[in-house]
Each structure stands twice: as C-alpha cells, then as structure tokens.
Amino acid sequence: MHEVIHVRRHDELTATELDALAHLFDSEYQNEYGAWNPDEPYGYSPADTHVMAFHSRELIAHAGFQRRLISVGDREILVAGTGGVLVDKRSRGTGIGGRTLRSAQEVMRDEAGVDFGFLGCREEVVPFYKSAGWVQIYATERCLSRLDQISVVVSEGGPNLVCSAKRVASQWPQGDIDLRGTPW
C-alpha cells in the first residue's frame, strides 16, 4: 500500500481534511459517542497537530497530539499528549498505523520541541504502541474528566506510555503525573 503522510497544524486544516477526519472518526465512534467535533473530540483534548495518512484521497490513518506542560512529581515536563490514533477498518493490519505513529514521533522530535510523547490507552493496544517505540511507565495519573472537564479523575496503572523526543524515554522522571487538563 502506498500512502502519503500529511502533517497539519489544527488551525491550518482544510475543509476537505476536516471532512476526512470526521468521516474516519464517525465511522468508528459515531454510534457510541455521536458526531466527531474537531475542537472537543468526545470530551478529550483536541490535537494541535494532526498526522494523517492518505491512500489516494481517502484518509486511512490519523495520530494527533497537543503540546502541554504537565507535572511529574515535582518537575514540569513538556509533552506531546497523543490521542486520536485511529486506522480505517479496511487498512488495519497493513502497518499504516505504525508508520503514521512513527511519523508523528518524528514531528515531535524535529518540530514540536517537546521532551516526550505521552499517551494513555487501553491495555489491549499496548503492544501496538510498544512496537512503534513507546515505553510503558507506571505512575498515578490525575486529569480532568473528559465527560465534564471539571471533575478530577485519579487512576493508577494507566496504561500510560511515553516516547523519546528531545529526551530519551528512559529519562522519564519518577512521580505522580498531573495532566493539567483533560486526557488526549
């Protein structure tokens, strides 16, 4: 499969790209969560950078991230909070998800100026992220609820993963994590 990867700042997305994103996300989540909203995607924090893989004109994969200063223990860390990682059902198993995620990591390292990529996910997709170079960390995480953006949610054991950007993943500091907002 030959694809073309596009990287766009959120405020530079074209109408065609926004429509393609809505189609991709709605095909997966609309029945359960309603229509995708680019500025409030299902209550999660929106991406400020989108990495999109197209085959011909069809969007087949996406990974987004948002730069944010979070706290880990008593330190402040600039992360690329990663979310909206999704591959079209017909393209799963082709490797396009990993290629898109690795492209996002390149942007994090080369352009975003963040210390690490950071994400939370379901246990069953941890192997996918690990295969793309992400490292699982173990810490208590605090964030705002994606359901009301007010309530504080505290969770232990994640799973949470980080990837190298300006700093290598093995340099992730010890301590509780405060996302200082909603998750991605």
Side-chain angles (χ1 to χ4, degrees):
M1 176 180 288
H2 179 70
E3 69 275 344
V4 176
I5 305 282
H6 294 268
V7 178
R8 295 279 190 271
R9 299 269 315 143
H10 184 72
D11 57 0
E12 296 172 349
L13 289 168
T14 67
T16 300
E17 290 166 334
L18 282 167
D19 287 345
L21 284 164
H23 177 74
L24 178 67
F25 281 94
D26 286 347
S27 69
E28 183 77 18
Y29 300 119
Q30 186 167 21
N31 289 341
E32 191 171 349
Y33 298 107
W36 179 75
N37 177 336
D39 298 315
E40 296 178 11
Y42 313 112
Y44 291 101
S45 292
D48 54 29
T49 300
H50 299 269
V51 180
M52 302 171 290
F54 287 86
H55 182 259
S56 296
R57 294 183 184 177
E58 183 180 8
L59 178 62
I60 57 172
H62 173 267
F65 65 85
Q66 180 192 75
R67 294 182 72 217
R68 185 187 301 165
L69 195 61
I70 66 171
S71 64
V72 180
D74 62 354
R75 300 178 66 186
E76 290 191 323
I77 305 293
L78 184 59
V79 299
T82 304
V85 179
L86 184 59
V87 175
D88 178 82
K89 290 176 184 170
R90 295 165 293 168
S91 299
R92 292 178 188 165
T94 65
I96 187 59
R99 291 191 297 278
T100 303
L101 195 55
R102 285 187 287 282
S103 292
Q105 290 168 265
E106 288 176 25
V107 175
M108 291 174 198
R109 281 190 292 275
D110 299 341
E111 299 173 31
V114 298
D115 296 313
F116 303 94
F118 179 90
L119 63 82
C121 64
R122 300 178 322 275
E123 190 67 46
E124 60 266 21
V125 295
V126 168
F128 163 72
Y129 290 109
K130 285 183 172 182
S131 73
W134 292 70
V135 176
Q136 191 167 2
I137 57 169
Y138 300 90
T140 299
E141 178 189 274
R142 184 175 34 260
C143 64
L144 295 180
S145 169
R146 68 176 189 80
L147 300 176
D148 66 14
Q149 290 80 40
I150 296 170
S151 303
V152 175
V153 176
V154 177
S155 62
E156 294 185 34
N160 291 311
L161 294 99
V162 297
C163 72
S164 302
K166 285 190 339 188
R167 297 174 56 196
V168 296
S170 63
Q171 294 176 328
W172 182 264
Q174 296 294 315
D176 292 349
I177 300 166
D178 186 345
L179 296 184
R180 297 181 175 172
T182 55
W184 298 278

